[in-house]
């Protein structure tokens, strides 16, 4: 099957960029990067302008001179991520390259690229807010009061004419919607993101953008293993809400043109090969550092992890336990999984305390368990995986 590789590569790249803008919760920050300049493979220059205030006019000497300071700050891009995908020639022959490739690449951006970029951007902004002590301690039973406090803190620095955005954890968004005090205050408004306009909920003119919990953490590990992807860092906390001006951050995204190889060009397999690469980072100018505020879950400290255990079938006894502390209220949920990487995790029914009795009906084999320590009924930290080895009676 013939394919115009260059034309299709450019076309797919353009369409994937559009999908990124439509599906990403943080994609609108890319609109703020127009004034940035690339000066090297990893360096971006973003200007920051500062002025001196007014002074008295002197009738003898006239105007007081004032300085305009333009500081071009250099920022280093950190996220250079890529993946090579292949589609067998026979699969392409049955459905057509344009149809199948478009669906697969679009789904890849929607399910893998967008969640990772959102997680990185939000974690970096929340980390900045925490570093500068721009955080509040809200009451999870009063989400509207916490949102108003965050908005007030941002407006005290940015002013009241700035368009604000509030990223809200999914659990908190549900709580906001169920709050009687704001049930009549939520309106639907237009929100410009790139070249498209989308509809969002807003409160008092502040756009409310709900984000799933997996993308609302303070820190992540961006994996470089065969599986790739991202996972919350061991010390990650939940970001309940994050409020900032829409113009506060600059998402500098440099997506390479999609590289497409036909089966004849692909020396590894009789398949079409698609190389996707995205090179990006998010930066905040000095003038906007204190316009980003967050409400972050209390920290959870696990001081004693569940210990591995060896037991005999037919006479199993003992338990797995964890010791954890936090400023918030803690609850627990134990899980059984397939391996040490928590694959195939399933809740253990009724195991909702700091300790779990080892099931007595286990047969000879190896079993894996961990507990999720939950604070405020929302945020959670997972313990280490404990191995239960059952030997024959």
């Amino acid at each position: 099957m013939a394919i115009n590789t260059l034309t299709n590569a450019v076309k797919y790249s353009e369409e994937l960029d559009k999908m990124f803008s439509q599906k990403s919760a943080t994609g609108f920050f890319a609109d703020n990067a127009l004034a940035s300049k690339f000066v090297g493979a990893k360096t971006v220059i973003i200007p920051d302008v500062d002025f001196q205030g007014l002074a008295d006019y002197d009738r003898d000497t006239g105007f007081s001179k004032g300085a305009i300071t333009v500081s071009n700050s250099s920022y280093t891009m950190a996220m250079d991520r890529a993946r090579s995908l292949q589609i067998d020639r026979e699969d392409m022959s049955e459905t057509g390259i344009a149809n199948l490739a478009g669906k697969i690449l679009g789904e890849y951006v929607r399910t893998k690229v967008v969640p990772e970029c959102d997680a990185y951007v939000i974690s970096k902004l929340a980390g900045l807010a925490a570093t500068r002590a721009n955080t509040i301690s809200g009451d999870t039973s009063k989400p509207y009061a916490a949102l108003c406090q965050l908005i007030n803190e941002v407006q005290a620095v940015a002013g009241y004419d700035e368009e604000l955005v509030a990223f809200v954890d999914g659990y908190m968004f549900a709580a906001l919607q169920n709050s009687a005090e704001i049930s009549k205050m939520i309106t639907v408004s237009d929100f410009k993101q790139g070249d498209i306009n989308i509809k969002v909920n807003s409160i008092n003119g502040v756009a409310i953008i709900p984000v799933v919990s997996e993308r609302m953490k303070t820190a992540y590990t961006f994996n470089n293993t065969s599986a790739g992807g991202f996972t919350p860092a061991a010390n990650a906390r939940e970001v309940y809400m994050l409020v900032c001006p829409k113009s506060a951050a600059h998402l500098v995204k440099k997506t390479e043109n999609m590289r497409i190889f036909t089966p004849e060009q692909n020396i590894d397999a009789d398949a079409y090969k698609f190389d996707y690469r995205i090179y990006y980072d998010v930066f905040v100018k000095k003038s906007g550092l204190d316009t980003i505020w967050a409400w972050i879950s209390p920290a959870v400290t696990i001081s004693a992890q569940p210990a591995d255990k060896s037991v005999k079938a037919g006479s199993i006894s003992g338990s797995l336990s964890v010791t954890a502390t936090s400023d918030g209220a803690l609850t627990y949920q134990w899980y059984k999984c397939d391996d040490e990487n928590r694959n195939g995790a399933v809740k253990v029914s009724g195991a909702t305390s700091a300790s779990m009795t080892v099931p007595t009906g286990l047969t000879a084999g190896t079993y894996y368990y961990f507990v999720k320590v939950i604070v405020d009924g929302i945020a959670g930290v997972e313990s280490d995986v404990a191995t239960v080895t059952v030997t024959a009676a």
Side-chain angles (χ1 to χ4, degrees), residues 233-310:
N235 61 342
R237 295 159 65 182
E238 193 84 3
V239 182
Y240 291 155
M241 295 181 185
L242 187 145
V243 178
C244 65
K246 189 179 178 182
S247 60
H250 296 255
L251 176 58
V252 181
K253 182 167 65 73
K254 184 181 181 183
T255 307
E256 298 296 307
N257 285 337
M258 176 71 66
R259 300 198 312 170
I260 301 178
F261 300 92
T262 65
E264 290 74 24
Q265 296 168 326
N266 185 357
I267 63 174
D268 297 320
D270 186 24
Y272 287 93
K273 181 182 177 184
F274 300 85
D275 289 346
Y276 177 84
R277 180 185 178 194
I278 182 168
Y279 191 24
Y280 73 98
D281 212 325
V282 64
F283 307 110
V284 178
K285 296 194 296 184
K286 294 178 181 178
S287 58
L289 291 175
D290 288 321
T291 65
I292 299 171
W293 281 73
W295 176 20
I296 299 172
S297 70
V300 177
T301 301
I302 297 180
S303 56
Q305 298 283 353
D308 295 343
K309 189 171 290 293
S310 295

Side-chain angles (χ1 to χ4, degrees), residues 183-197:
S183 59
K184 297 181 180 180
M185 298 177 62
I186 297 180
T187 60
V188 177
S189 59
D190 290 326
F191 186 81
K192 185 171 177 57
Q193 185 158 301
D195 296 328
I196 61 174
N197 284 308

